Amino acid sequence: MSGLGVVSKLGAVLGELGDASVEDASPREARRQALLVAPVRIALGAAGVLAAVSIDLSAGTALAEAGLGAGLTMFTLVAPGGRRRPEQLRPPARPSERGRQPWWRVLAVAMFPSTYGVAVLTAIALVFNRDLAAFLAGVLLGMGAAALVYALTRSPA
């Protein structure tokens, strides 16, 4: 099976799990998604920086590039109105047919495709360009930080 076939198969499987995007989820479920995905993104980002340093990149350079990636990502994700779809493009709200999903299913859906994609690109970049790998690891760190800030600023009710 080709790489594209694997990605489309994974997308189909995750699609069957239910559309669990933060935009369509209740505030409680969106907070749960963010709390689950934030530590995974931060751990993947830290692992990417450590891998780049362990191969041959200096720690100072890796931290500077990861900081740049994280900073740009945070700016992009936190910028007002940057992530909202216009009202006419939003799908109509539909009631949840299923009860509370298991944590692993919520995490798998919340990570697709952004976290998977950036993590795979980081791993590929480790082979060819350690500077790019450190920057992409910073993107993961920024995504994790944004999810953590989102979850901590929402009320648990």
Side-chain angles (χ1 to χ4, degrees), residues 18-85:
D19 298 327
S21 71
V22 173
E23 266 185 10
D24 299 334
S26 71
R28 184 181 180 124
E29 282 301 310
R31 184 174 190 269
R32 181 177 180 224
Q33 286 177 10
L35 283 173
L36 285 170
V37 79
V40 173
R41 288 175 174 169
I42 291 170
L44 287 170
V49 171
L50 290 174
V53 169
S54 70
I55 294 173
D56 71 353
L57 193 63
S58 73
T61 303
L63 289 175
E65 290 169 347
L68 180 64
L72 289 174
T73 302
M74 287 292 294
F75 175 76
T76 302
L77 294 177
V78 175
R83 300 251 316 143
R84 299 209 174 227
R85 282 191 229 168

Side-chain angles (χ1 to χ4, degrees), residues 92-113:
R94 60 181 186 273
S96 177
E97 301 98 29
R98 300 181 185 141
R100 188 174 169 108
Q101 299 290 328
W103 70 267
W104 57 268
R105 189 173 285 192
V106 172
L107 181 62
V109 172
M111 288 177 53
F112 186 79

